[in-house]
Amino acid sequence: MTRAKKIIGIVSTLTLTTLLGLLYYYLESFFYSDFGCGCSSACVGYYPVMSSRIIGYGLIIGSTVLFISSIWKFKGLSRLWTLPALLIFGIALYGNGYMIFNKGACAYSLNRTTFFINQTKLGDFAKSDAETINLDSLKNGKLNKKLLGYSIKGNELTAFRIGEEPLKVKTSFLFWKVRNNVIVNDISYGLNTFRNFDAEKIKGHYEFIGGKGMTEQDFLNEFVLTQKALSSNLKNKKIINHSDGTTRFLFEKE
């Protein structure tokens, strides 16, 4: 390779790398904005914590340098190093581009994004207005597979579904972690269980409706955040697996 061709190749490589870096910058800026999670400003996104993303930036830069060095055989480096470089780059792109989000007023649904642009809809909330569900629709099976009730333990969010097994959603990938308390604080208004006020026509009686597979402890864990007045001193507690695909938690309180 002549000196002129080598210089042109190096300049082209640096130019292409710079353009790709700028593309990544604008892609991430869009991703972490309201529009990045796929909807209007009502959309709420849950991203990896900054410390995780900083490590991801380091992996992206390091893998890019390794890729370029192996392409140009810098100091005799084999071009086989392009393979681990691409693997590391892909892992970092996945981790930094991971997001769980709720489209809020646009659809009231739980969603996930990977690689910044690959969006997957995980399910719709049974409470379409984030407050109530139609009991007739529930009885007629129109709310089957909808999300109602949740539990979060460790690095896993469990979204319970009507008539279906619970949906398991990871809130971490390797060292990339999403803060669980952030998810719970923002999402509980729409994903939590439904309080059936009709049952309270009998004084001291309460009924909460959740998705299939919910346990008493799942309900009680939710009450600590959303129903503090009902989180203790409950009597005659009963879990019923209803034929409509829901779990009913009945209890009494003076």
Side-chain angles (χ1 to χ4, degrees):
M1 181 182 295
T2 65
R3 180 178 176 81
K5 287 183 178 180
K6 187 172 183 178
I7 292 175
I8 292 173
I10 292 174
V11 171
S12 299
T13 301
L14 293 175
T15 301
L16 181 61
T17 302
T18 301
L19 290 174
L20 290 175
L22 289 172
L23 176 63
Y24 176 88
Y25 171 79
Y26 286 113
L27 179 64
E28 187 175 274
S29 297
F30 172 79
F31 181 73
Y32 291 121
S33 69
D34 290 335
F35 294 102
C37 56
C39 202
S40 70
S41 58
C43 172
V44 180
Y46 317 104
Y47 320 100
V49 297
M50 180 56 74
S51 58
S52 299
R53 283 152 47 195
I54 289 174
I55 297 174
Y57 299 147
L59 290 175
I60 288 173
I61 294 172
S63 61
T64 300
V65 171
L66 178 60
F67 183 83
I68 293 173
S69 299
S70 59
I71 284 291
W72 288 100
K73 296 184 177 180
F74 182 71
K75 291 189 176 181
L77 196 66
S78 170
R79 287 183 177 172
L80 292 176
W81 281 102
T82 57
L83 299 178
L86 289 172
L87 178 62
I88 294 170
F89 185 86
I91 291 172
L93 200 66
Y94 182 95
N96 274 26
Y98 186 85
M99 176 174 63
I100 300 169
F101 66 97
N102 160 33
K103 284 193 175 181
C106 298
Y108 290 113
S109 60
L110 186 65
N111 306 263
R112 176 175 57 205
T113 295
T114 53
F115 294 108
F116 292 105
I117 58 174
N118 180 35
Q119 292 190 0
T120 303
K121 185 176 181 179
L122 301 176
D124 292 313
F125 296 169
K127 296 187 291 184
S128 58
D129 59 357
E131 294 181 357
T132 62
I133 61 174
N134 187 307
L135 293 178
D136 288 333
S137 295
L138 178 61
K139 183 178 179 181
N140 295 331
K142 295 180 179 179
L143 299 181
N144 283 351
K145 299 183 181 181
K146 298 291 181 81
L147 307 178
L148 187 63
Y150 69 92
S151 172
I152 194 160
K153 296 176 183 177
N155 297 319
E156 187 174 73
L157 167 68
T158 300
F160 295 96
R161 299 184 286 188
I162 298 173
E164 293 282 333
E165 292 301 314
L167 176 69
K168 306 287 186 178
V169 184
K170 291 293 184 182
T171 60
S172 69
F173 169 69
L174 298 180
F175 54 79
W176 284 276
K177 299 182 184 298
V178 180
R179 286 195 178 94
N180 291 342
N181 63 313
V182 175
I183 297 175
V184 171
N185 288 340
D186 288 331
I187 212 169
S188 60
Y189 77 92
L191 189 57
N192 61 356
T193 54
F194 174 64
R195 182 173 179 175
N196 183 8
F197 284 99
D198 287 344
E200 296 176 35
K201 292 177 181 178
I202 302 175
K203 187 177 180 180
H205 286 68
Y206 297 85
E207 180 185 67
F208 282 79
I209 305 175
K212 180 180 179 180
M214 285 196 73
T215 66
E216 177 183 316
Q217 192 59 51
D218 291 328
F219 282 96
L220 293 176
N221 289 342
E222 186 181 296
F223 287 178
V224 173
L225 292 173
T226 60
Q227 306 286 341
K228 289 184 178 181
L230 300 176
S231 60
S232 61
N233 300 321
L234 309 183
K235 299 179 180 180
N236 300 324
K237 294 178 289 184
K238 185 185 299 184
I239 287 286
I240 297 177
N241 297 315
H242 203 278
S243 59
D244 60 13
T246 63
T247 303
R248 310 292 179 101
F249 181 39
L250 290 78
F251 58 89
E252 297 177 15
K253 186 176 175 66
E254 295 181 356

